[in-house]
Every structure is written in C-alpha cells, then in structure tokens.
Amino acid sequence: MSSVADTRARTAAPALGTFERYLTLWVALCILTGIVLGRWVPGPFQALGRMTVAEVNIPVAVLIWLMIVPMLLKVDFGALHRVAEQWRGIAVTIGINWLVKPFSMAVLGWLFIGWLFRPWLPADQIDSYIAGLIILAAAPCTAMVFVWSNLTDGDPNFTLSQVALNDTIMVFAFAPIVALLLGLSSITVPWTTLFLSVVLYIVVPVIAAQLWRRSLLARGEAALTQTLRTLQPISLIALLATLVLLFGFQGEQIIRQPLIIALLAVPIIIQVYLNAGIAYAINRALGVPHNVACPSALIGASNFFELAVAAAIALFGFQSGAALATVVGVLVEVPVMLSVVRIVLRTRDWYEQARTA
C-alpha cells in the first residue's frame, strides 16, 4: 500500500511547479515591494490609480484579464455532459460552493472581523473587510483545482466536469450571492459596478477564452498545450504585478497596523478547513470514490482569487479593506491548500474503510 501511495505522490508532484510551489513567498515579496515603492515613490501609483473608466481601473483590468483568461482557457465546457457520471460528488461540490461556502464565510467574517477582532482593526474598514471575505468565498476555484486534484490522484474527468459546471453557475450566481450577503451585512451594493464586474471579469473572459480555445484545438491538442505552457508564467506575473499595485496603495495602512493581515487570515483559514472537511465527510458518507472526493473537497475549499481581487477592486477601490482581504486570500492559498492535500492523502485508508464496510 505504501509503495503505491509513494508512486502516486511521485507522479503527481510535478503538477505544482517550482514557481507555483513558492507562490506564497513571491506574494510576500510583492507585498514588501509594493509597500516600499508606495511609500518612497507614490507618484506613479497615484497616476495609475487615476486611470479609470466607469469606476474600472484600466491598468488593473488589463492585468486581471492576463490572470483570468489563461485560467479559463483550461476549462472545457464540453465536459458538462460528464456531470451525470459522478453525480453524488458533483452535488456535494455544488452544494458546498454555493449553499455553504459564501454563507459560512459571511458568518465567520461577522464573528471574527465584526466582533472578536474589532478592537484591533480600523473602525472605518470593518464592513469593507467583511465584504472582501464574502467576495473571496463567492468565487470558487477554477484553475488551481487542477493542480490540487492531480496532487491527490483525483479523477481528471470529474475535475474537469465540475470546474466547467462551477464556472457556468458562477456566470449567473456570483453577483446575486455577493449582493445578497453584502446586503445582509448592511453594506451598500453598487449594483452598476457589480454588474459591470461580472461582465468584465466573468462573462467576457469566458467567451474570449472559449473562442480562443476552439481556434487552438482546430490546429491540434499540441497547440493548446503549448499556449497554456506559454501563458502560465504570464498569468502569475500579472497577479504579482497587481499585488504590487495594491500594496503600493495599502502600504501606509499596513505599516501602521501589520496585525491586520494576520487577523484577516484567521477566518479564511478556518473556512478552508471547514468546507473541505464537510465536503470530504459527506462524500465518504455517500460512498463516493476517494479519487472523486478529493477534488470535490478541494474545489469546495479553494477560491478563484483572481476574480475576487478584480471584483473587490472594482466595487470598493484599490485602497479598500475589501481589496486587502482578497489579497490575504492569495497569501494563504498555497500553503493551506497543500496542507489539505496532505490530509486527504494521509486519510485515504480511513476513507476507504467506509466504502468496504
């Protein structure tokens, strides 16, 4: 048994490249760079911040597209016909992503940010922090879940079909859920900006990515593979460049209160383990195979942080607590998700006992 597990681990490990494995380190360095540059040369950051059209910052919009389109290029919406093959795992994933995750994050945000941690946070940013956490939880993972699934020897057909279905639902459900939970939090919902964000950062990229995907596949699978390989570093570089801009604006606030990032990370980390655990346990109770339960649990725990960052900036601005909260999600994503991967791998025997009993 151990030799089989070791073999699987060896074959899965290359799925997470060196750059991605140390994403948290690069994020931390970009935070530091942004803070330093924003403090010592604020002029360029202020100039970039003024480049807006209909409340959408153009430089950030370009960077967000560079982040999101390569991610969506991996998604094959033709895989939706496979949904019925593992309907129990799909049902768990959809339930966690849309009926549990945003609402549990709202509760955790109200509990920790709105109450327990309130004395240590800027009073004028409390609602904005909660809004950022809600936006983060309302955007289920699209791209990195392929990595997490591969690391756990997950069923690739299931992973692809659940991502395709999740992205289809996100086109229609993201804005209403965010608006509902922001309204429950007594946060004013800028409906025009929210609608524009959904169109700019979900609808248009999905259409553009699928048209591009079709044109590449018309030249053969190798053309798509080569394009994805070329775009992967561009997508991550765009993410890191966005972080430099964000923290160029957020620098003064963070220098004054570095504890903010640590406090914001608490509900995010709890939410990851909570939702992954619920999904994993329900799949086990339903007799779902382990290689389906793993990606089901992982996509229920991780976030489409590229979209979350974009939406938070569009809705509340560069210097908002909402933008900062989504960036903290980026900061903790890789190490926390890797720990979840280790947990589901080490509990394989325990999980399989339920199916053989």
Side-chain angles (χ1 to χ4, degrees):
M1 178 66 72
S2 61
S3 62
V4 173
D6 292 342
T7 301
R8 283 174 174 155
R10 285 195 296 271
T11 56
L16 195 64
T18 301
F19 193 82
E20 292 89 343
R21 188 176 294 113
Y22 295 102
L23 180 59
T24 298
L25 173 60
W26 312 138
V27 168
L29 290 175
C30 286
I31 290 175
L32 180 61
T33 300
I35 291 173
V36 171
L37 292 178
R39 186 175 179 84
W40 294 103
V41 283
F45 288 93
Q46 294 171 3
L48 289 171
R50 290 192 293 268
M51 297 173 63
T52 60
V53 174
E55 300 185 66
V56 174
N57 185 274
I58 301 305
V60 172
V62 172
L63 290 172
I64 295 297
W65 264 62
L66 290 174
M67 278 190 267
I68 291 177
V69 171
M71 304 291 183
L72 294 173
L73 195 60
K74 299 178 181 179
V75 180
D76 178 13
F77 285 93
L80 284 173
H81 72 277
R82 297 172 177 160
V83 166
E85 295 175 6
Q86 291 288 351
W87 65 269
R88 289 173 298 177
I90 289 287
V92 172
T93 300
I94 299 305
I96 294 296
N97 271 280
W98 299 107
L99 300 178
V100 176
K101 186 178 173 186
F103 299 92
S104 64
M105 179 62 96
V107 171
L108 291 170
W110 296 329
L111 175 63
F112 285 95
I113 306 303
W115 180 44
L116 293 177
F117 297 158
R118 179 178 285 271
W120 298 285
L121 294 169
D124 60 338
Q125 291 284 7
I126 296 293
D127 286 346
S128 188
Y129 292 143
I130 295 173
L133 294 175
I134 289 170
I135 291 170
L136 184 67
C141 186
T142 290
M144 288 296 283
V145 71
F146 291 109
V147 174
W148 311 134
S149 177
N150 194 18
L151 287 171
T152 58
D153 197 24
D155 183 333
N157 290 331
F158 172 80
T159 303
L160 184 60
S161 59
Q162 73 168 359
V163 168
L165 181 58
N166 245 326
D167 282 7
T168 303
I169 294 172
M170 185 160 53
V171 171
F172 304 100
F174 178 78
I177 286 180
V178 168
L180 170 65
L181 290 175
L182 294 187
L184 291 176
S185 301
S186 300
I187 300 169
T188 302
V189 180
W191 282 100
T192 303
T193 307
L194 179 57
F195 176 77
L196 182 60
S197 297
V198 171
V199 172
L200 276 179
Y201 302 127
I202 301 180
V203 179
V204 175
V206 164
I207 294 172
Q210 290 305 299
L211 291 175
W212 191 5
R213 179 186 175 88
R214 288 186 180 184
S215 68
L216 289 169
L217 287 174
R219 292 155 43 197
E221 191 76 33
L224 175 61
T225 302
Q226 180 59 44
T227 300
L228 289 173
R229 187 179 298 115
T230 302
L231 290 177
Q232 185 169 351
I234 295 176
S235 179
L236 289 172
I237 289 169
L239 170 63
L240 297 178
T242 303
L243 297 183
V244 172
L245 288 178
L246 278 174
F247 281 89
F249 286 102
Q250 297 272 5
E252 285 297 326
Q253 178 182 337
I254 294 170
I255 289 174
R256 289 196 304 268
Q257 287 188 284
L259 184 63
I260 292 174
I261 290 179
L263 296 181
L264 289 174
V266 171
I268 296 173
I269 293 172
I270 292 174
Q271 186 242 192
V272 169
Y273 290 121
L274 173 67
N275 289 299
I278 292 173
Y280 196 52
I282 293 176
N283 275 303
R284 184 176 187 262
L286 293 175
V288 175
H290 188 263
N291 67 343
V292 169
C294 288
S296 174
L298 293 164
I299 197 172
S302 56
N303 304 299
F304 190 178
F305 50 74
E306 295 87 357
L307 171 62
V309 170
I313 293 172
L315 290 172
F316 298 99
F318 263 122
Q319 302 185 55
S320 67
L324 179 60
T326 58
V327 169
V328 175
V330 183
L331 185 63
V332 303
E333 172 87 2
V334 172
V336 175
M337 289 307 299
L338 284 174
S339 72
V340 176
V341 166
R342 285 192 289 269
I343 290 170
V344 297
L345 285 175
R346 291 181 178 180
T347 57
R348 176 190 288 269
D349 290 344
W350 167 81
Y351 186 96
E352 294 291 351
Q353 286 172 4
R355 300 191 69 225
T356 57

